[in-house]
Amino acid sequence: MVCEMYQIAVCDDEPEICEMVCNGIREWSQDIRISCFDSGEMLLTAYDSFDVIFLDIDMKGMDGIETGRQIRERDHETKIVYLTAYRDYVAGAFEVHAFQYLLKPISPARLKQILEELFRYMKSTDKQRILDFHTEEGLICVDATDICYFEFVNRKIRMVTRQNSYHMTGKIGSIYERTCSMGFSMPHKSFVVNLLHVKNVRNLDIFMDNGDRIPLSQKKQKEWKQELTNYLSERLVLHPARR
């Protein structure tokens, strides 16, 4: 299931919760090194490069929110899964960019599901296509092919996927720089579109396969339509139709 040794930290001031989570991880895979901590201070003092941290929010002393903030100052890559008995804490934990939340009392089935999600992301065989975004809805990991387009509106970026839409802060130009090598294009100063999902172009309107319509800048019209033509021609070479 897990081919290399990963490091997971479990931090909770309730010993029975720590033991339950640790046992659940061990049952899921033996190829994981687990470290247990009963306080945020202890975790920070002994901090190592953990791949995943299961972190209780409501702890004595330094709570999980502040612990998470300090972890983020030194480690932007570790995946944090918050343990909490209160749904209201989720909004307050947003800035820490949690990967997921595990509500108490902890369900072994839910713990297993989260472990599957974590390692499916970390062990992806095509990781260059998996993009992660820190959105208002939490950390979102999505295959680039599932993204239809990005729109800059009301000083925020809206990401529209096949199933949902998410909101985040940032610059639309930075989104383009990050995705242009994956078949994304910028037909308008406020939009970055996935050429894979372009269904039709009519005058200055781009029709997406999800039914949405994207504006095409008049200044970019000729250049962008040529870019689309080149993209479609390349796909025909790489993925010829079956006869």
Side-chain angles (χ1 to χ4, degrees):
M1 186 179 298
V2 180
C3 298
E4 56 185 279
M5 185 65 75
Y6 284 93
Q7 294 195 78
I8 292 183
V10 179
C11 183
D12 196 301
D13 60 359
E14 298 180 72
E16 60 275 17
I17 296 295
C18 262
E19 183 177 0
M20 188 271 183
V21 174
C22 290
N23 288 339
I25 296 171
R26 292 189 186 99
E27 289 176 7
W28 186 75
S29 174
Q30 294 295 317
D31 299 319
I32 296 175
R33 183 181 297 114
I34 306 171
S35 301
C36 296
F37 305 92
D38 61 12
S39 71
E41 292 88 346
M42 183 179 291
L43 171 61
L44 291 169
T45 299
Y47 193 79
D48 200 352
S49 297
F50 296 108
D51 297 290
V52 181
I53 302 171
F54 285 85
L55 181 59
D56 183 27
I57 288 183
D58 190 20
M59 294 186 292
K60 298 175 182 176
M62 183 182 295
D63 65 24
I65 303 297
E66 181 58 31
T67 302
R69 289 195 189 104
Q70 294 195 30
I71 288 172
R72 278 286 171 254
E73 290 177 1
R74 64 177 84 176
D75 190 340
H76 295 284
E77 300 299 323
T78 187
K79 306 297 179 288
I80 295 177
V81 177
Y82 269 125
L83 309 175
T84 178
Y86 308 101
R87 294 180 181 273
D88 293 344
Y89 273 121
V90 172
F94 167 67
E95 65 183 277
V96 177
H97 306 309
F99 184 89
Q100 195 49 273
Y101 300 88
L102 188 55
L103 290 175
K104 300 177 182 179
I106 294 172
S107 161
R110 178 59 178 151
L111 174 59
K112 180 181 178 181
Q113 181 184 13
I114 288 177
L115 288 167
E116 295 284 356
E117 290 177 7
L118 282 162
F119 286 93
R120 183 165 57 247
Y121 170 71
M122 292 192 291
K123 295 286 291 180
S124 172
T125 56
D126 193 12
K127 199 167 183 178
Q128 68 271 19
R129 292 197 319 164
I130 303 297
L131 298 171
D132 60 90
F133 299 93
H134 296 300
T135 73
E136 292 180 354
E137 292 79 11
L139 178 65
I140 303 299
C141 302
V142 60
D143 192 308
T145 59
D146 287 334
I147 302 172
C148 296
Y149 63 90
F150 299 86
E151 177 186 10
F152 187 75
V153 58
N154 296 327
R155 298 183 180 181
K156 292 183 179 181
I157 296 172
R158 183 169 73 105
M159 176 175 67
V160 178
T161 70
R162 287 174 175 175
Q163 295 82 21
N164 298 295
S165 63
Y166 306 93
H167 298 81
M168 67 192 91
T169 58
K171 298 180 179 179
I172 195 72
S174 298
I175 293 291
Y176 172 68
E177 291 175 2
R178 188 178 177 190
T179 60
C180 61
S181 64
M182 301 179 180
F184 287 74
S185 182
M186 200 168 184
H188 186 280
K189 65 180 182 179
S190 297
F191 289 86
V192 172
V193 302
N194 188 345
L195 297 176
L196 179 66
H197 293 291
V198 173
K199 184 178 181 181
N200 192 17
V201 182
R202 190 179 306 134
N203 298 322
L204 296 178
D205 290 318
I206 301 168
F207 296 87
M208 307 298 290
D209 60 9
N210 70 341
D212 290 351
R213 184 169 61 181
I214 305 297
L216 172 58
S217 168
Q218 188 169 8
K219 291 182 179 180
K220 292 186 174 184
Q221 182 179 8
K222 183 177 180 180
E223 177 185 350
W224 188 83
K225 286 184 177 179
Q226 184 60 54
E227 184 179 354
L228 177 61
T229 299
N230 294 342
Y231 172 81
L232 294 175
S233 298
E234 184 176 323
R235 281 189 61 81
L236 285 174
V237 172
L238 295 175
H239 308 283
R242 295 180 180 178
R243 295 182 181 180

